Amino acid sequence: MINLERVGEHEFVASNGRGASVRIGRKGQEGSFSPVELLVAAAAGCALVTSETLILRRTGGDQLTAVADAVQSESGNEVISIPVTLSYDLSAVDDPEALETVVRRAVEQFCTVTRTLKQSATAPLQLPTPLQTASEPL
């Protein structure tokens, strides 16, 4: 579970039960990620976490990075694509095409975030309900 707490105007802190936290704010706000940036980071991060062992074992290196960006609709209120580019050194790899196949398959099968984005997961919103007053009949 992720908990969010308001810490200032347009500023929130998201935290998990393991002690990690991240600042969330409006787009362009200093020192924070926007919600869309977090979505983009989640897609890229999931691809990295999913492929890390495969890539590092086959490349013999320890350098692995990703770049991702949100492609938004014309209205700007919808993300229509999140292209993720992984970068790693292929100089020690005998068969780069085989590595590409294995990495692509792993991400497509096991990356929860990108699989969820492909399925267009719902995000039901629950709001507080007004409390019953003493004068209302039960």
Side-chain angles (χ1 to χ4, degrees), residues 27 36 70-80:
K27 182 179 179 182
V36 171
V71 178
Q72 295 185 294
S73 65
E74 287 185 26
S75 70
N77 292 325
E78 181 180 61
V79 174
I80 57 175

Side-chain angles (χ1 to χ4, degrees), residues 81-93:
S81 179
I82 303 174
V84 175
T85 302
L86 299 182
S87 297
Y88 44 89
D89 184 5
L90 290 172
S91 62
V93 177

Side-chain angles (χ1 to χ4, degrees), residues 3 10 28 32 36 51 91 94 97 102 113 128 134:
N3 292 306
H10 311 305
S32 65
V36 171
S51 62
S91 62
D94 293 333
E97 286 97 18
V102 170
V113 175

Side-chain angles (χ1 to χ4, degrees), residues 109-132:
Q109 290 179 351
F110 301 113
C111 177
T112 304
V113 175
T114 56
R115 288 175 56 86
T116 301
L117 289 170
K118 286 179 186 175
Q119 298 298 317
S120 298
T122 63
L125 179 63
Q126 295 180 359
L127 301 173
T129 57
L131 297 176
Q132 254 183 345

Side-chain angles (χ1 to χ4, degrees), residues 2 4 18 20 30-31 36-37 41 77 93 105 109-110 130:
I2 303 297
L4 277 93
R18 297 181 311 280
E30 289 296 317
V36 171
E37 289 170 330
N77 292 325
V93 177
R105 185 180 315 130
Q109 290 179 351
F110 301 113

Side-chain angles (χ1 to χ4, degrees), residues 11 17 22 37 41 43 50 56 61 69 76 80 88 91-92 96 101 135-136:
E11 293 182 90
V22 64
E37 289 170 330
T50 301
L56 297 183
D69 196 13
I80 57 175
Y88 44 89
S91 62
T101 300
S135 63
E136 291 181 17

